[in-house]
Amino acid sequence: MTELNDCEPRKVKVIGPYTFSIGDTRGLSAYTRGGLFKQVKMPVVLNFKSFKSALEEPEYFYSDFSKFDRPAQLHVGFQALHAFAAANNGRMPRPGNDDDATEVIRLANQINDAWSQKTELDDKLLKQLAYQATGDLSPMVAVFGGLVAQEVLKACTGKFSPINNFMYFDALECLPIGFEPKEADLAPVGSRYDGQIAVFGREFQEKLSNYREFLVGSGAIGCEMLKNWAMMGIASGENGVIHVTDMDTIEKSNLNRQFLFRPADVGKLKSDTAAEAVAKMNPDIAGKIATHQDRVGLETEVVYNDEFYESIDGVTNALDNVVARKYMDQRCVFYRKPLLESGTLGTKGNTQVVIPHLTESYSASQDPAEKQIPICTLKNFPHAIEHTIQWARDLFEGLFTQPAESVNA
């Protein structure tokens, strides 16, 4: 099939792991054997509606299929918020104010009645939207910040498909069941946490400020946790404290994802450096973070003993191996402490909230076997034969393979 040499790209159909079809071959000579193929990614031209047209005829990106009816309602609700602000010199509805919420609901129904794609509106949902219009939660900001950053990279590089529709995301399930605070409890107090108080109330903020949390690991996940906690004011009160333990030191390869660290920090302890960084972000938690450099396990139970666990309110895992996760899960079950478990692998991630006497524990379900050995384990605690083998292979590649490839590139 010499006609395929230097031809225009042809669309293929994948048949199996090692086979694919190139379509109609009647105009080609007979295939003999072998051959090399190169994958070509063809550009796709995307056309977007004007903003005016998209508002009238929206398409939605569904992030939660259990809330299939939410995007259309929130599409109307946010237009109602803008209409409210336009009629009130830019002011958004006051937190917990029933009069402002009623006006937002009226505007939403007015917009919906004039819309060609009428939807069924839930007054309770619109009421919560009005109540929280001035809210500002750091974790939610981080979620949308990540999404926006991805879309910017897509636009700059021309790679990957952009979100070609409206995306509405809500997490109303985070509100306590039966949560009906008074307007006075949601009113701003002139602090940096007013955006959070507008959603959860002053009493909740008081609990956060005096919370005592144990963070195990201060790598990629740990940095994000500490940043969010600092912005939320966790442990900023008189009785609050955050314990952080991580035996690892900062390496240059950490800097692309562990954003609390800078080039000048290479070689320093992660726990100490991360604590210093977030204290600069929020001076309220300066002196409220106790740093440790201990590996959690049987050998450190003299440090993290009964007295230690009785002094804390909860545990957050930011670990990179299953063995340590299971150990911390056992300790939390024994001491009846809530556990926030999370992990990442490339672009994938997971979270699990473990509440004593309410949810299953982390160890109740089995994780798949780890295909890769964590770098921290290789560099600090290679305790199995396969760890030492992989350590030697990595050292060999670093000394003999990578330098040669870099020169020949």
Side-chain angles (χ1 to χ4, degrees):
M1 292 185 174
T2 56
E3 295 86 355
L4 293 176
N5 296 333
D6 300 320
C7 71
E8 292 294 319
R10 296 173 67 104
K11 189 174 183 179
V12 302
K13 179 181 179 182
V14 178
I15 299 174
Y18 308 105
T19 57
F20 61 87
S21 168
I22 62 172
D24 188 357
T25 60
R26 284 176 294 183
L28 307 177
S29 57
Y31 172 71
T32 306
R33 62 184 174 81
L36 297 175
F37 298 87
K38 182 180 180 181
Q39 183 183 17
V40 178
K41 294 186 177 181
M42 301 300 292
V44 178
V45 177
L46 297 175
N47 297 310
F48 295 88
K49 299 176 183 177
S50 67
F51 184 64
K52 183 178 180 181
S53 299
L55 277 177
E56 181 61 27
E57 299 175 353
E59 296 178 12
Y60 304 114
F61 177 88
Y62 292 95
S63 60
D64 189 343
F65 286 98
S66 67
K67 303 174 181 177
F68 202 78
D69 60 331
R70 290 281 177 87
Q73 295 187 69
L74 292 173
H75 186 71
V76 175
F78 274 98
Q79 292 182 71
L81 284 181
H82 283 282
F84 180 95
N88 290 273
N89 297 319
R91 177 180 68 82
M92 282 292 181
R94 290 163 290 185
N97 186 276
D98 289 330
D99 293 337
D100 288 354
T102 301
E103 177 62 13
V104 169
I105 294 172
R106 185 191 70 79
L107 290 168
N109 282 291
Q110 182 179 316
I111 293 169
N112 190 47
D113 291 339
W115 191 23
S116 60
Q117 300 183 16
K118 291 183 178 63
T119 187
E120 185 177 346
L121 299 178
D122 182 357
D123 286 356
K124 291 183 179 179
L125 176 66
L126 295 174
K127 187 177 182 179
Q128 288 293 346
L129 181 63
Y131 277 1
Q132 300 167 24
T134 60
D136 187 9
L137 305 179
S138 179
M140 293 289 279
V141 172
V143 169
F144 276 94
L147 285 170
V148 171
Q150 281 190 336
E151 295 305 302
V152 171
L153 288 175
K154 291 176 185 177
C156 294
T157 62
K159 294 182 178 180
F160 310 109
S161 298
I163 296 177
N164 191 14
N165 32 33
F166 286 95
M167 177 181 174
Y168 293 97
F169 176 77
D170 78 87
L172 284 177
E173 60 273 15
C174 291
L175 294 176
I177 297 173
F179 181 68
E180 294 183 0
K182 297 179 180 179
E183 182 178 353
D185 190 43
L186 301 174
V189 295
S191 77
R192 65 182 298 161
Y193 313 114
D194 281 349
Q196 196 161 271
I197 291 174
V199 178
F200 292 107
R202 199 177 307 166
E203 183 179 345
F204 179 83
Q205 188 61 41
E206 282 290 323
K207 290 181 180 178
L208 284 185
S209 66
N210 290 294
Y211 208 71
R212 307 173 68 85
E213 186 74 0
F214 182 28
L215 175 64
V216 188
S218 55
I221 294 175
C223 284
E224 183 68 24
M225 290 293 184
L226 283 172
K227 180 266 294 181
N228 283 337
W229 294 351
M231 297 296 97
M232 294 167 65
I234 290 180
S236 60
E238 182 179 352
N239 300 316
V241 66
I242 297 173
H243 293 276
V244 186
T245 185
D246 196 316
M247 69 284 186
D248 205 5
T249 55
I250 301 165
E251 297 185 13
K252 190 174 182 180
S253 61
N254 300 147
L255 302 180
N256 68 335
R257 64 193 184 281
Q258 300 176 21
F259 59 90
L260 293 180
F261 309 139
R262 298 293 181 265
D265 298 325
V266 172
K268 297 179 181 179
L269 290 165
K270 287 186 176 181
S271 56
D272 290 343
T273 308
E276 291 175 7
V278 296
K280 292 177 183 177
M281 294 180 178
N282 184 2
D284 291 351
I285 64 170
K288 297 289 185 177
I289 304 178
T291 59
H292 310 263
Q293 292 79 43
D294 306 305
R295 180 190 181 201
V296 290
L298 294 173
E299 65 274 20
T300 56
E301 287 186 0
V302 293
V303 178
Y304 307 114
N305 50 24
D306 294 350
E307 183 179 353
F308 174 81
Y309 280 99
E310 288 171 0
S311 70
I312 61 174
D313 298 312
V315 177
T316 298
N317 278 349
L319 293 161
D320 61 1
N321 65 90
V322 174
V323 175
R325 288 186 172 107
K326 287 186 174 180
Y327 173 80
M328 288 307 303
D329 178 63
Q330 292 170 1
R331 303 302 283 173
C332 289
V333 169
F334 182 81
Y335 289 105
R336 296 183 178 87
K337 298 296 179 181
L339 169 67
L340 176 58
E341 163 59 39
S342 57
T344 61
L345 181 62
T347 58
K348 297 181 290 186
N350 77 285
T351 60
Q352 181 181 354
V353 179
V354 180
I355 306 295
H357 309 299
L358 185 62
T359 66
E360 70 171 9
S361 67
Y362 171 79
S363 302
S365 56
Q366 188 68 35
D367 271 3
E370 293 180 326
K371 296 181 181 179
Q372 296 178 335
I373 302 171
I375 294 175
C376 298
T377 301
L378 289 179
K379 292 186 177 296
N380 295 287
F381 299 99
H383 57 273
I385 292 176
E386 56 267 28
H387 294 167
T388 58
I389 295 173
Q390 185 62 45
W391 178 87
R393 289 180 62 183
D394 288 353
L395 182 63
F396 182 89
E397 288 188 8
L399 291 174
F400 301 106
T401 305
Q402 294 173 1
E405 290 178 346
S406 299
V407 170
N408 296 328

